[in-house]
């Protein structure tokens, strides 16, 4: 048994890794800021101690895993290094950890968390699979030979990994505070894909994924006739979505997923491709799809009175479109209301017109104040600039949430990557 202390344990990836190591029988504790974060309850439920940052936390006998959000001059990192104790950055530790497994990295600009959650659930329907998801969820199984994990492109962190497989859900321009342009993003993904050991599984409808020139097998999945793994005969019922899967021109099986929207079909195809390549039992895989319950902050529903309140992490125009597509298909005929919190000034400015076009597909859109970042200046941009581009949209302040009561029977979707959850929580309290 090893002893680990996580510096910044409440971070989504750090929390998940801490849970994995705890489940594998190691002694795990960590430290972080004294502020409630959505990952906390999972750590506390497993009895993992969370301490406030303090250099007195640094004692002999622990390996210190440092979150990427903290610089080398952080009080605990500096103290550990001054005392000569081992300090390992999160992505370096994870790279070494996965070498003992058949590893599957799930990456892409959008859909990473949903696909990793689906992959880990479905694979565990047939084989023990340790997993790490970007919503702060992690689980370690001592007997597992597989490791599924979410791999983030931000600051090229995914270049630390050399997985056996990589799923690329899509390649799009995001993180304008780091990437220069789409060419910079494509270069990063191509470099990552070149480090894969066995095969890349990529969405065939993505023009940038198709442009990658790689010296290893690439399996394209999608809805097109040129894809290696295709979904055809797609039907939607009250139970979810049903579709046939064709692999290299041959019928594989018919699958049912308890989800709605083409993006969920595509995520499922990526998972099916991994299971096919690893020759897992397809009957067990089919049954596991049916019991998938989703991941945190991805179309998470609460039913209050006659309303459906949805919490969703969507913070990019393409993600907003996918979330609204799910709402339309699942709740056909209901009014769809968006309450959107723009995330960072740089992203809002870069995608202002794209945000407007995506949100205009709502029946009604409300925009709250931009959630800024400590690493950027606000400039002259405000949520008013977005409201001016969306017909019929309005600004909404936390003190005015009762205005949403006018949408009786509606599906109200609270979207964003900042603290939009406080708006949903407050409105739920008002309804209760």
């Amino acid at each position: 048994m090893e002893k680990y202390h996580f510096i910044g344990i409440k971070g989504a990836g750090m929390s998940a890794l801490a849970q994995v190591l705890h489940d594998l029988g190691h002694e795990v504790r960590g430290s972080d800021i004294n502020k409630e974060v959505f990952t906390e309850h999972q750590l506390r439920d497993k009895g993992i101690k969370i301490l406030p940052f303090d250099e007195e936390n640094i004692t002999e006998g622990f390996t210190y895993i440092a979150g990427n959000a903290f610089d080398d001059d952080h009080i605990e990192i500096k103290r550990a290094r001054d005392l000569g104790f081992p300090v390992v950055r999160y992505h370096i530790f994870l790279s070494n950890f996965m070498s003992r497994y058949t590893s599957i990295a799930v990456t892409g600009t959008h859909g990473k968390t949903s696909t990793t959650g689906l992959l880990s659930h479905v694979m565990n329907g047939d084989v023990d699979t340790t997993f790490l998801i970007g919503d702060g969820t992690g689980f370690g199984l001592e007997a597992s030979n597989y490791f599924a994990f979410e791999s983030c492109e931000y600051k090229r962190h995914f270049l630390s990994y050399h997985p056996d497989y990589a799923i690329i859900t899509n390649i799009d321009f995001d993180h304008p505070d780091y990437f220069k342009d789409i060419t910079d993003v494509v270069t990063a993904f191509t470099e990552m894909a070149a480090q894969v050991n066995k095969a890349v599984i990529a969405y065939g409808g993505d023009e940038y994924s198709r442009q990658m020139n790689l010296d290893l097998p690439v399996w394209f999945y999608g809805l097109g006739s040129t894809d290696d793994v295709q979904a055809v005969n797609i039907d939607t019922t009250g139970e979810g979505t049903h579709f046939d899967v064709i692999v290299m021109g041959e019928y594989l099986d018919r699958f049912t997923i308890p989800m709605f929207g083409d993006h969920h079909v595509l995520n499922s195809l990526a998972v099916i491709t991994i299971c096919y390549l690893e020759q897992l039992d397809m009957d067990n895989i089919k049954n596991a799809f049916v019991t998938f319950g989703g991941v945190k902050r991805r179309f998470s529903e609460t039913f209050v009175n006659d309303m459906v309140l949805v919490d969703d992490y969507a913070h990019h125009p393409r993600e907003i479109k996918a979330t609204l597509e799910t709402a339309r298909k699942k709740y056909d005929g209901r009014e769809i209301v968006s309450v959107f919190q723009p995330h960072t000034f740089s992203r809002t400015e870069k995608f202002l017109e794209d945000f407007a076009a995506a949100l205009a597909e709502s029946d009604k859109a409300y925009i709250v104040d931009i959630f800024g970042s400590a690493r950027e200046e606000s400039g002259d941009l405000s949520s008013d600039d977005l409201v001016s581009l969306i017909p019929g949209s309005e600004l909404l302040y936390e003190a005015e949430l009762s205005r949403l009561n006018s949408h009786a029977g509606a599906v109200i979707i609270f979207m964003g990557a900042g603290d939009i959850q406080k708006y949903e929580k407050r409105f739920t309290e008002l309804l209760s």
Side-chain angles (χ1 to χ4, degrees):
M1 181 186 74
E2 302 291 336
K3 296 169 69 174
Y4 297 101
H5 176 94
F6 282 72
I7 302 172
I9 195 169
K10 295 181 185 179
M14 292 281 280
S15 167
L17 180 58
Q19 292 170 59
V20 168
L21 295 179
H22 171 272
D23 295 338
L24 293 176
H26 301 295
E27 181 179 335
V28 177
R29 71 180 196 191
S31 55
D32 215 312
I33 57 174
N34 188 24
K35 179 182 177 182
E36 185 176 348
V37 178
F38 70 92
T39 58
E40 271 188 62
H41 75 90
Q42 291 165 295
L43 295 166
R44 298 193 189 281
D45 287 348
K46 291 187 176 183
I48 297 173
K49 184 182 292 185
I50 306 173
L51 304 166
F53 284 137
D54 191 325
E55 63 179 16
E56 296 301 318
N57 294 331
I58 308 305
T59 56
E60 191 173 2
F62 285 86
T63 293
Y64 292 90
I65 301 175
N68 294 326
F70 303 99
D71 296 331
D72 289 344
D73 60 358
H74 183 277
I75 57 170
E76 291 194 4
I77 297 174
K78 187 176 185 303
R79 177 71 170 171
R81 286 182 169 156
D82 286 347
L83 294 174
F85 299 153
V87 179
V88 187
R89 285 291 178 180
Y90 165 84
H91 58 286
I92 301 299
F93 185 93
L94 187 59
S95 177
N96 295 329
F97 174 80
M98 72 178 67
S99 63
R100 70 189 77 172
Y101 300 94
T102 296
S103 54
I104 306 106
V106 181
T107 188
T109 311
H110 320 293
K112 291 185 290 290
T113 298
S114 298
T115 306
T116 311
L118 182 63
L119 175 69
S120 57
H121 175 85
V122 169
M123 288 188 66
N124 269 302
D126 187 50
V127 290
D128 285 348
T129 303
T130 290
F131 59 86
L132 184 154
I133 309 175
D135 65 354
T137 305
F139 196 77
L141 291 161
E142 292 187 26
S144 61
N145 294 318
Y146 289 93
F147 178 56
F149 71 103
E150 182 171 338
S151 181
C152 184
E153 76 277 13
Y154 185 55
K155 293 188 176 179
R156 288 174 162 80
H157 287 314
F158 58 8
L159 296 185
S160 300
Y161 313 131
H162 292 75
D164 293 295
Y165 297 97
I167 292 172
I168 302 177
T169 57
N170 45 62
I171 300 175
D172 200 355
F173 183 60
D174 198 5
H175 303 298
D177 61 316
Y178 173 74
F179 289 110
K180 300 182 185 70
D181 49 31
I182 185 62
T183 301
D184 193 21
V185 178
V186 174
T187 298
F189 272 94
T190 304
E191 291 174 3
M192 177 279 301
Q195 298 180 172
V196 173
N197 295 317
K198 290 187 177 181
V200 170
I201 293 86
Y203 171 41
D206 186 276
E207 60 175 312
Y208 301 113
S209 295
R210 287 279 186 182
Q211 290 175 10
M212 291 190 301
N213 185 16
L214 301 172
D215 292 327
L216 75 161
V218 179
W219 288 70
F220 289 107
Y221 65 89
L223 309 181
S225 59
T226 61
D227 293 315
D228 303 306
V229 182
Q230 304 170 37
V232 298
N233 301 324
I234 301 173
D235 294 315
T236 301
T237 67
E239 298 175 350
T241 308
H242 318 270
F243 53 92
D244 294 333
V245 174
I246 307 298
V247 179
M248 301 298 286
E250 295 188 2
Y251 175 79
L252 178 65
D253 215 326
R254 187 162 181 81
F255 292 79
T256 294
I257 59 173
M259 297 165 284
F260 302 82
D262 288 347
H263 57 294
H264 288 301
V265 175
L266 295 173
N267 294 346
S268 300
L269 288 176
V271 171
I272 291 166
T273 305
I274 291 288
C275 296
Y276 174 84
L277 293 175
E278 282 297 300
Q279 299 181 338
L280 302 189
D281 187 303
M282 217 38 82
D283 286 334
N284 290 339
I285 298 306
K286 283 176 59 180
N287 291 334
F289 270 109
V290 177
T291 60
F292 180 61
V295 296
K296 288 187 298 184
R297 299 221 59 216
R298 267 66 180 183
F299 213 84
S300 301
E301 297 163 293
T302 302
F303 302 92
V304 184
N305 298 341
D306 61 345
M307 291 180 174
V308 182
L309 308 184
V310 177
D311 175 35
D312 198 281
Y313 188 68
H315 60 289
H316 185 281
R318 185 181 291 189
E319 295 167 351
I320 292 170
K321 284 180 176 288
T323 298
L324 292 175
E325 181 199 8
T326 294
R328 290 285 183 206
K329 288 189 174 181
K330 188 170 185 178
Y331 294 105
D332 185 32
R334 287 219 199 191
E335 182 186 22
I336 306 298
V337 178
S338 294
V339 181
F340 177 62
Q341 181 186 54
H343 185 255
T344 74
F345 293 96
S346 57
R347 180 183 282 112
T348 306
E349 182 176 18
K350 183 67 180 180
F351 300 116
L352 191 65
E353 293 187 359
D354 295 326
F355 277 130
L359 290 163
E361 296 182 15
S362 314
D363 295 313
K364 178 72 176 183
Y366 293 94
I367 312 299
V368 305
D369 284 338
I370 296 172
F371 186 88
S373 167
R375 62 177 181 257
E376 64 178 2
E377 298 293 332
S378 62
D380 298 324
L381 190 72
S382 74
S383 291
D384 283 306
D385 295 288
L386 184 53
V387 168
S388 68
L389 297 176
I390 307 170
S393 65
E394 299 177 32
L395 280 175
L396 182 67
Y397 298 100
E398 188 175 359
E400 303 173 339
L401 286 169
S402 59
R403 288 162 56 192
L404 297 176
N405 281 320
S406 63
H407 301 282
V411 179
I412 302 181
I413 309 173
F414 294 82
M415 289 183 284
D419 60 0
I420 187 67
Q421 288 173 296
K422 73 180 182 182
Y423 292 86
E424 184 197 12
K425 181 180 179 181
R426 177 63 180 145
F427 183 60
T428 303
E429 291 170 352
L430 289 174
L431 291 177
S432 300

